[in-house]
Amino acid sequence: MLKVEGVVKSFGATVALRGVSLEVQPGEFHALLGENGAGKSTLVKIIGGDYAPDKGTIRWRGVALKALSPSQVRRLGIGIIHQDSALLPDLSVAANFALGREAVTGPGWVDWPTIRASLQAQAERFDVEVEPDVPVRSLSVGQRKFLDIMRVLQDAQRLIVLDEPTAAFTIEDTRRLMEILQEIKKAGTSIVYVTHRLQDIEEIVDWVTVLKDGSNVATLCPEEATPGRIVSLMVGREISDLYPPPPTDTAKDALLSLEGFTRFGAFHDISLEVRAGEIVALVGLAGHGAFQVAHAIYGDPPAGSGRLLFGGKPLRVDRPATALRAGIGFVAGDRGENVLRVLSVRDNLALAALRRWSQMGWINTARERSRAGKLMRSLNIKARNMDVPTESLSGGNQQKVVLGRWLAAETKLLALVDPTAGVDVGARTEIYKLLRALADEGRGVLIATSDMAEALGLADRVYAFYKGGVTGVFSRQDRDEADVLAAITGHTVNGLEMVRRDRLEAVTTATTATTVATVAVVTGQAAKDGRLR
């Protein structure tokens, strides 16, 4: 169906692809893995017609093409779903769904009834609710990605290329997408799937190609693509311990305390604390309050009632500016909300520290450049120089720029939502070490994460959320993955007696790959077609 041969692509002095080849058969699910900066997204953009290769050939059903154009890609029946959303936030859901594909009546008027009917049909297929007339900016990150996927699937009948589609998805969203892709594959459509999370696709993948530094390093069948081998191929070394060791010193006094923290419809009566020198994780299924509490601590949007104590003193966080002045930083789950991509790395690092790096209201450029350079070196941010646009960096390096911004601002507490979503295993390890280093300096770190393994491996304490409330608090000494999963699905820890312990342990392991199965067992859901649903 598709054959990429010896493709080379450079951007100035930076070589993104060094003779990459990829072959995809009809009805095949082909995974593409590699670290951030390995060249995956560049290859996707060449297949999608956004970039022309400097060298190499693309063969489509046996016909050699020097390069593709986006319009030609659509005519051939190829759909490209990029990592960064292509939606226009101020247009409605229906307008974005139809963008470039507008159905028209005879006189040339847009046929909105037909568009809405097509949107509703796709929404039912994905089992998601849509409101056609609301602006896209009102949707969650996961809802936007589903809309992105639905609009592309309208006319992609031969090949679909997805670049990190599940980075902002919950467990349930990922499972539903895999079911849809399974149906598409059975119908004969080929799929190229770029991901950092091999466990999401292990039931459906046919081949795995691994890229490193813009070159092919291996193409493996599923049996050969073990996690250990994939990690070794991706980063060129063994990673024996993903998470940094826990602190030896006990945490200090409470830095952040919430008492009766409540926002109607989101969370209620939340009491928790983050001590100086401590990493705390909030976990829960989508919509059950963990992410919303993290946002409320930063005032985006604020809680409706309850008390927030910061440094032992009451603080009313009514908007992000108040949190920033108090010394609270925030990293959103959507990378697009964290960085101004067209601005330089230096500008992005300085955003939260402009007052510190200025004199009498004027930015001290020499000080800004000096401190930005030190941050880039200490965080190992890979960029040609500090003046390149931040959008030119890999996803992992963009995330390190965001963390560097809050280091520059000397933040006392940093709240993060899914801090490693869409980040490869090598960069993920660096981010974990950085967060632990922040805690070791006496700062507080709070993460709201959908990655259970991340919460259990990194945090000193874990708060479990269910239906807007805290259902369990687990320290390093007394926590077990099964207990935490029970708490986020509405069972008390003692309530695990309702499920046979041996049956639970049979599917519970330390890897994220079994999380869906574990949740299904804990909640008493039945298996169907050989898979737990």
Side-chain angles (χ1 to χ4, degrees):
M1 184 65 72
L2 173 72
K3 192 171 186 179
V4 176
E5 300 176 290
V7 166
V8 175
K9 183 64 181 177
S10 299
F11 301 93
T14 302
V15 182
L17 297 177
R18 308 170 186 269
V20 167
S21 298
L22 177 71
E23 187 172 312
V24 184
Q25 302 294 333
E28 178 178 275
F29 191 110
H30 201 118
L32 189 61
L33 279 72
E35 286 193 279
N36 289 109
K40 307 184 301 298
S41 294
T42 301
L43 181 59
V44 168
K45 290 177 179 178
I46 286 175
I47 296 171
D50 296 302
Y51 296 155
D54 300 332
K55 294 180 182 179
T57 306
I58 300 171
R59 293 185 181 274
W60 176 251
R61 305 181 74 192
V63 178
L65 305 167
K66 177 61 178 175
L68 293 164
S69 68
S71 58
Q72 184 184 12
V73 165
R74 276 190 56 197
R75 289 196 299 271
L76 292 174
I78 302 173
I80 309 291
I81 298 155
H82 294 288
Q83 183 173 0
D84 298 327
S85 176
L87 303 177
L88 301 178
D90 291 317
L91 291 186
S92 69
V93 169
N96 271 282
F97 178 76
L99 197 63
R101 304 165 172 81
E102 291 87 350
V104 296
T105 61
W109 297 97
V110 176
D111 187 355
W112 289 111
T114 298
I115 291 171
R116 287 188 174 89
S118 179
L119 172 60
Q120 186 59 42
Q122 286 282 11
E124 291 175 359
R125 181 185 188 189
F126 277 82
D127 193 25
V128 296
E129 295 183 5
V130 296
E131 297 183 41
D133 300 318
V134 302
V136 161
R137 71 168 57 257
S138 66
L139 304 182
S140 68
V141 178
Q143 289 171 324
R144 293 180 201 179
K145 180 55 69 175
F146 264 129
L147 179 58
D148 237 344
I149 295 171
M150 290 190 296
R151 66 189 292 270
V152 170
L153 288 183
Q154 295 176 80
D155 46 19
Q157 288 125 16
R158 297 187 181 276
L159 172 69
I160 299 168
V161 183
L162 304 97
D163 190 354
E164 290 289 353
T166 62
F169 275 8
T170 63
I171 294 170
E172 310 96 291
D173 291 339
T174 300
R175 176 175 56 82
R176 181 58 186 146
L177 177 61
M178 291 305 112
E179 291 173 348
I180 294 293
L181 294 181
Q182 186 76 274
E183 295 171 10
I184 291 169
K185 175 185 170 183
K186 288 179 180 177
T189 298
S190 303
I191 300 168
V192 175
Y193 193 96
V194 179
T195 185
H196 293 122
R197 297 161 64 175
L198 187 62
Q199 66 271 16
D200 290 345
I201 58 173
E202 57 185 356
E203 294 183 5
I204 186 176
V205 68
D206 297 308
W207 291 98
V208 175
T209 290
V210 181
L211 301 184
K212 177 174 172 56
D213 297 330
S215 302
N216 295 80
V217 292
T219 295
L220 311 170
C221 67
E223 291 75 21
E224 298 171 316
T226 61
R229 186 171 185 192
I230 292 293
V231 169
S232 179
L233 289 169
M234 283 171 57
V235 303
R237 65 184 188 278
E238 297 293 335
I239 294 185
S240 58
D241 192 359
L242 183 62
Y243 304 101
T248 54
D249 297 334
T250 57
K252 303 174 181 63
D253 294 336
L255 180 63
L256 171 78
S257 297
L258 304 183
E259 299 176 355
F261 218 49
T262 299
R263 189 169 78 234
F264 181 74
F267 51 85
H268 56 84
D269 199 26
I270 303 299
S271 295
L272 61 82
E273 68 177 18
V274 181
R275 303 183 188 115
E278 182 179 51
I279 299 177
V280 169
L282 313 182
V283 296
L285 300 178
H288 284 253
F291 286 14
Q292 291 89 335
V293 167
H295 277 268
I297 290 169
Y298 192 62
D300 180 32
S305 61
R307 287 211 314 163
L308 184 154
L309 302 176
F310 193 63
K313 299 177 181 179
L315 176 67
R316 183 173 179 269
V317 181
D318 53 353
R319 60 187 184 276
T322 305
L324 178 59
R325 284 195 299 270
I328 300 174
F330 181 73
V331 178
D334 181 1
R335 197 176 297 137
E337 297 180 19
N338 295 320
V339 294
L340 299 177
R341 294 179 178 178
V342 297
L343 292 187
S344 68
V345 173
R346 171 171 59 91
D347 289 336
N348 270 285
L349 285 169
L351 279 177
L354 288 175
R355 291 181 184 274
R356 296 177 182 276
W357 294 1
S358 302
Q359 290 178 325
M360 300 177 66
W362 295 90
I363 295 175
N364 186 323
T365 306
R367 180 184 298 176
E368 184 183 54
R369 296 187 69 85
S370 173
R371 297 193 178 179
K374 289 179 181 177
L375 283 169
M376 290 181 68
R377 289 189 293 274
S378 65
L379 299 178
N380 193 27
I381 296 172
K382 297 176 182 177
R384 291 200 307 275
N385 55 63
M386 67 178 68
D387 297 313
V388 298
T390 307
E391 64 184 352
S392 68
L393 274 59
S394 68
N397 282 294
Q398 288 186 30
Q399 195 74 334
K400 285 192 278 186
V401 168
V402 176
L403 294 176
R405 176 191 304 160
W406 296 115
L407 277 173
E410 299 183 11
T411 304
K412 299 174 185 175
L413 173 79
L414 183 59
L416 310 96
V417 175
D418 268 342
T420 58
V423 173
D424 66 76
V425 65
R428 184 175 293 208
T429 303
E430 291 186 63
I431 290 171
Y432 291 152
K433 289 179 179 177
L434 174 58
L435 294 178
R436 175 53 64 191
L438 288 175
D440 290 344
E441 291 174 2
R443 311 190 200 202
V445 178
L446 181 142
I447 61 171
T449 178
S450 56
D451 188 331
M452 182 66 70
E454 180 172 86
L456 297 176
L458 182 65
D460 302 309
R461 273 183 305 122
V462 175
Y463 285 82
F465 281 69
Y466 177 72
K467 290 188 175 180
V470 174
T471 52
V473 183
F474 304 89
S475 66
R476 281 189 179 274
Q477 293 74 30
D478 65 1
R479 70 178 173 232
D480 174 86
E481 184 179 8
D483 293 345
V484 180
L485 286 166
I488 69 170
T489 51
H491 297 77
T492 62
V493 174
N494 291 335
L496 277 173
E497 296 172 1
M498 299 165 57
V499 182
R500 282 178 51 199
R501 173 64 73 170
D502 59 345
R503 181 182 173 208
L504 182 63
E505 290 177 346
V507 295
T508 304
T509 72
T511 64
T512 310
T514 58
T515 300
V516 174
T518 309
V519 170
V521 172
V522 172
T523 55
Q525 298 182 51
K528 185 178 181 181
D529 299 332
R531 289 186 298 159
L532 289 160
R533 293 180 177 244

